[in-house]
Structures are given as structure tokens and as C-alpha cells.
């Protein structure tokens, strides 16, 4: 297992993760403890990274059920019956522990913390319920950049303690198809990123499995995701209220974002984000994860502000 150390610092009542640059040996400790300017905090970054954290957690639990051997070099996996006296495999409790003091590297990400899930029945079964609990769960990717001839890395990171409820609704209708549908909800949760924190208040998401459900190979699984969410976002100066949703037929953009399990990151699609500090300070932006025909796998999303395209690195 490849492991590295990380510095975490508690700032006031909130947790802000260190903005690091590093050498190629994968050490991401930063003794200078450099923090980004709070004025540069973008709510778009927090929402995009939060979505990545949620789909990643569900992906990890699915792998722990179906492809446990893929995780065993990076995490400790524990499977228990919910009731020790039950004669059936389900309901089951799965814990995937990536460690508390170090980061494990798996599927292009550094990780720490654990994911615990109570599972009523196999996740592909209609009416299966999975309640996921993230415990100090942290994910990060490294994107190389250069200062002159020196190669460094930008760290995109996100972390949270949160509870997510997933329910298999069976096959429902969407876009003239009958597709297996997973509905997820979050009541309240806070996601910490490098530049600030995002609080989710009442978020719901519907994932439609458009491909791969009938095969044993998880890499061909594809989903289209519809989200409605709201909450607050905070840096050291401001607290914003936000509302996120997918585009509708009268707006430019894809009416969903796509997550394909052959790529570790959200691959394509759009989210519309509205947010404000006061009634006169409002903004709308479209977070784009990539075009619908995108074939490359990149840990990027982007949005446009003042005519300038701004790239978000996904953890």
C-alpha cells in the first residue's frame, strides 16, 4: 500500500485543508502551511467537489460488495451481518477503512477516513436501501503544473462527515426508457474543501443506470444524474445561500450529469447554480463537467465568470 502523511489544521470553528504543492515522490506535506486567499473562494468549486465526494462514496461501497479484491491493497474491509443471529447474508454492514493518520492511494486518489454502510439487500435489487456514513472521509487528486522548469502539483481535495441514504427504486421511466433508478437524499452535511465549506440542506439526487447493469463488469456502468439541492457556502468573509439543479429544456446545457465507472471522475453534463449573499448580490453559473461526447477522462469541471473560463480541479 502506498501511504503518505498530511497536515491538517483546525481554523476557528471550521476545517480548512492545506493548499499544497509537492514533489514527485507523492509527499504532500507543506511546512509553510500556505492557504489560498478567501477572496478566491468559489461556490462552484465546493459544489462540484461535493458531488464528486458523494458519487465516490457510493462507488466504493459498490466495489466493496462486488469487487472487494480491488480495494484490499488500499483499505481494510469488514463485512458483518446486521444481526449476528440472522441466517441470511443481508441485511449487512460493510466498513471500508482507509486509515486515520495516512492516505491510501486508490483509483487516482489519495484517501483517508472510513465509509460505513448498512445494506438491506443486494444493491441491484429493487427496494434495496443503503445508508452510508462518511467518517472523516477525505479524497484528493494531484494535478501537475510547472513553475518554470520545476514540476509541482496542485492538490484538489474534499472531506466530510455525512450520512447519505440510497434507495433502489427499480425500473422507472426517464427519457422514453425504463431504467434502474437509484434515489439518494442528504438532510444536512458539511463538505470541506481547500477554500471554504459547503453545507448541504435537503439534497436529493436520482441516478439512472443507462448501461452496464446486466453485466458483472463494473467498468461499463454508466449513470445519468438529476440533482436538486440547496444550502450555504462559507469562506472567512461571507456566507452565501445556494441552489443547484440541472438545466431544463428552455436552458442551454445537458439535463443531467454523467458518471461512468470507467472514469474516476464525473465525466460530462451540467449543473446550474444560483447563489446570493444579499437580495442584490446574486449570481447564476453553469458548472460543466464535459461535453456529452467526451471520451477522455479528466478531473476537471469549468464555469464562466465575466467572460473568463475558470477550471475546477475535482478530487
Amino acid at each position: 500500500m502506498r501511504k503518505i502523511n498530511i497536515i491538517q489544521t483546525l481554523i476557528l470553528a471550521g476545517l480548512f485543508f492545506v493548499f499544497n504543492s509537492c514533489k514527485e515522490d507523492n509527499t504532500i506535506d507543506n511546512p509553510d502551511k500556505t492557504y489560498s486567499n478567501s477572496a478566491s473562494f468559489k461556490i462552484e468549486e465546493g459544489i462540484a467537489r461535493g458531488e464528486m465526494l458523494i458519487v465516490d462514496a457510493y462507488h466504493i461501497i459498490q466495489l466493496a460488495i462486488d469487487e472487494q479484491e480491488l480495494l484490499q491493497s488500499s483499505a481494510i474491509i469488514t463485512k458483518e451481518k446486521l444481526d449476528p443471529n440472522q441466517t441470511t447474508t443481508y441485511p449487512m454492514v460493510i466498513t471500508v477503512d482507509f486509515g486515520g493518520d495516512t492516505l491510501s492511494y486508490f483509483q487516482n486518489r489519495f484517501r483517508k477516513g472510513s465509509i460505513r454502510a448498512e445494506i438491506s439487500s443486494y444493491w441491484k435489487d429493487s427496494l434495496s436501501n443503503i445508508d452510508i456514513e462518511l467518517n472523516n472521509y477525505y479524497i484528493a487528486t494531484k494535478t501537475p503544473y510547472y513553475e518554470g522548469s520545476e514540476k509541482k502539483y496542485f492538490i484538489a481535495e474534499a472531506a466530510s462527515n455525512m450520512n447519505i441514504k440510497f434507495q433502489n427504486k427499480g425500473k422507472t421511466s426517464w427519457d422514453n426508457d425504463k431504467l434502474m433508478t437509484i434515489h439518494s437524499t442528504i438532510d444536512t452535511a458539511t463538505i470541506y474543501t481547500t477554500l471554504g465549506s459547503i453545507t448541504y440542506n435537503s439534497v436529493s439526487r436520482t441516478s439512472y443506470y443507462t448501461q452496464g447493469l446486466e453485466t458483472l463488469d463494473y467498468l461499463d456502468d454508466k449513470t445519468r444524474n438529476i440533482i436538486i439541492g440547496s444550502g450555504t457556502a462559507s469562506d472567512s468573509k461571507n456566507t452565501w445561500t445556494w441552489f443547484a439543479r440541472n438545466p431544463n429544456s428552455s436552458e442551454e446545457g445537458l439535463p443531467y450529469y454523467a458518471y461512468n465507472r470507467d472514469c474516476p471522475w464525473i465525466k460530462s453534463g451540467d449543473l446550474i447554480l444560483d447563489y446570493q449573499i444579499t437580495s442584490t448580490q446574486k449570481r447564476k453559473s453553469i458548472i460543466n463537467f464535459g461535453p456529452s461526447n467526451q471520451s477522455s477522462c479528466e478531473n476537471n469541471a469549468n464555469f464562466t465568470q465575466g467572460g473568463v473560463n475558470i477550471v475546477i480541479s475535482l478530487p
Side-chain angles (χ1 to χ4, degrees), residues 78-127:
T78 305
K79 295 183 178 180
E80 305 171 286
K81 295 179 178 181
L82 186 62
D83 181 348
N85 297 317
Q86 72 190 47
T87 58
T88 55
T89 301
Y90 292 97
M92 176 192 294
V93 177
I94 292 180
T95 302
V96 182
D97 191 345
F98 289 97
D101 298 322
T102 59
L103 293 176
S104 299
Y105 187 77
F106 176 69
Q107 287 190 336
N108 299 294
R109 290 190 179 93
F110 297 97
R111 304 167 190 268
K112 67 177 295 184
S114 64
I115 306 171
R116 182 183 183 276
E118 290 191 9
I119 307 166
S120 67
S121 59
Y122 184 53
W123 70 274
K124 290 184 179 181
D125 293 344
S126 294
L127 302 183

Side-chain angles (χ1 to χ4, degrees), residues 144-201:
Y145 69 96
Y146 286 87
E147 288 187 358
S149 60
E150 184 179 0
K151 186 178 183 180
K152 295 185 176 182
Y153 290 90
F154 175 78
I155 307 300
E157 53 193 354
S160 184
N161 294 287
M162 76 164 77
N163 296 311
I164 318 167
K165 294 183 179 295
F166 294 88
Q167 184 179 45
N168 186 328
K169 296 285 190 178
K171 288 190 175 183
T172 66
S173 297
W174 188 77
D175 199 22
N176 296 320
D177 286 320
K178 286 280 191 179
L179 302 172
M180 189 188 87
T181 305
I182 303 291
H183 185 67
S184 63
T185 56
I186 300 170
D187 291 331
T188 302
T190 300
I191 296 170
Y192 302 98
T193 71
T194 311
L195 304 181
S197 62
I198 295 290
T199 298
Y200 282 157
N201 299 318

